[in-house]
Amino acid sequence: MAIDVTIRPARPADVGPAVDLLRRQLDEHGIALGDDALERSVRALSERPELGRVLVATRDGAVAGVAVLSFLWTLEHGGPGAWLDELYVEPAQRRCGIGRRLTEAALEVAAAHGAVALDLEVEDGHEAAERLYRSMGFQRHRRVRWARRLDERRPAASSSAGAGRRPFASLDHLSLGVNDLARAKRFYDAALAPLGLVAHQQIPSEVGYGPPGEPPQEGYAFYIGFEDPAETRPVAPSAGYHVAFNAPSRQAVRDFHAAALGAGGRDRGAPGLRPRYHESYYGAFVIDPDGHHVEAVCHAPEE
């Protein structure tokens, strides 16, 4: 009998339940990872679709399973690949197809990303997992996985790199000048909430946006206002300049667009696919109260 299960990318509200399940998974396998480090890692990956996906299975409104997928490049498969890092289903929800559904979703996401293969590992004694993956066409690999932590080799100044939200490695943050900070804050508070970003004010004349919680040591990726009030002057938008935010799902893109228009923004492009970029590029575009061009984009397939 078919069960009513939804598989989708994790939303900000799903991070807590997903972390709880993954913590149980790691505990069962004897893998030590601090609670804070695990939550930071899950949250960072859920906000960086170019690096992978955190997929959740929901049943009756609750998260019943989670799969963590990372993208990579693999010589043995001859191109881009994907690694199914973790897959865990709530014990009471097992044997009803949730694990298979999560694996199928991971295969679809990997294929949409251009991966030529999906790799995973099964610990000795997990016969049910072996039967599942064998029935889905996976083959046992000849290699045994080895690993070494690199934390001790990382320079101290960059030890927290990647913990926050960063568009890509060479860009640390950007600041957007605005004419009315209170007005701009009302707009961005509303528009960025569906993307899991909230306001953090560290200095009086500037507001940063990032995930809820304590400010990361390296700060945030996006600010509005003027760090030095002496530099405040009228702001005009620059031709060709725009800011794009990662969205965890296509629904979040739609919510961003609706919230932005409701908070004083103007439409620049309704939510939808932009296949001229790539087949899964789903974005929405607005103009903020100061005339800046702002976008939210999701690179994942539809939930």
Side-chain angles (χ1 to χ4, degrees), residues 85-220:
D85 192 39
E86 300 290 347
L87 189 150
Y88 187 81
V89 177
E90 174 75 37
Q93 303 282 1
R94 293 175 183 172
R95 297 181 176 83
C96 60
I98 294 177
R100 179 179 291 272
R101 292 278 300 279
L102 279 168
T103 307
E104 290 171 345
L107 286 165
E108 292 175 3
V109 170
H113 185 72
V116 297
L118 174 65
D119 286 82
L120 53 84
E121 62 179 346
V122 180
E123 292 203 358
D124 292 339
H126 285 218
E127 296 178 357
E130 289 188 0
R131 288 195 298 271
L132 168 64
Y133 296 130
R134 188 176 293 113
S135 72
M136 297 183 70
F138 288 86
Q139 298 178 349
R140 182 184 294 274
H141 202 287
R142 295 179 58 189
R143 290 180 170 175
V144 176
R145 184 182 180 193
W146 288 47
R148 177 181 171 181
R149 298 283 301 190
L150 299 178
D151 305 64
E152 68 276 10
R153 300 176 63 89
R154 187 179 301 149
S158 62
S159 60
S160 61
R165 189 182 188 89
R166 290 293 179 266
F168 53 89
S170 62
L171 179 63
D172 186 80
H173 69 277
L174 60 88
S175 298
L176 195 62
V178 297
N179 288 303
D180 184 329
L181 184 59
R183 181 185 67 177
K185 182 177 182 300
R186 287 193 296 271
F187 171 82
Y188 284 101
D189 284 357
L192 300 186
L195 310 183
L197 302 178
V198 299
H200 300 266
Q201 190 145 10
Q202 297 171 303
I203 58 177
S205 57
E206 192 171 56
V207 178
Y209 285 86
E214 290 297 316
Q217 182 178 356
E218 72 276 18
Y220 301 102

Side-chain angles (χ1 to χ4, degrees), residues 241 257 261 266-270 274 284-287 291-294:
Y241 177 84
H257 187 260
L261 298 187
R266 292 181 287 121
D267 179 40
R268 180 63 184 270
R274 268 70 181 181
F285 305 82
V286 297
I287 304 298
H292 300 300
H293 184 188
V294 186

Side-chain angles (χ1 to χ4, degrees), residues 4 29 36 60-61 75 77 84-85 111 113 118 131 163 165 179 216 260 263 297-298 303:
D4 185 16
H29 292 175
D36 290 345
D60 298 327
L75 294 180
H77 294 307
L84 188 55
D85 192 39
H113 185 72
L118 174 65
R131 288 195 298 271
R165 189 182 188 89
N179 288 303
V297 57
C298 175
E303 298 171 3

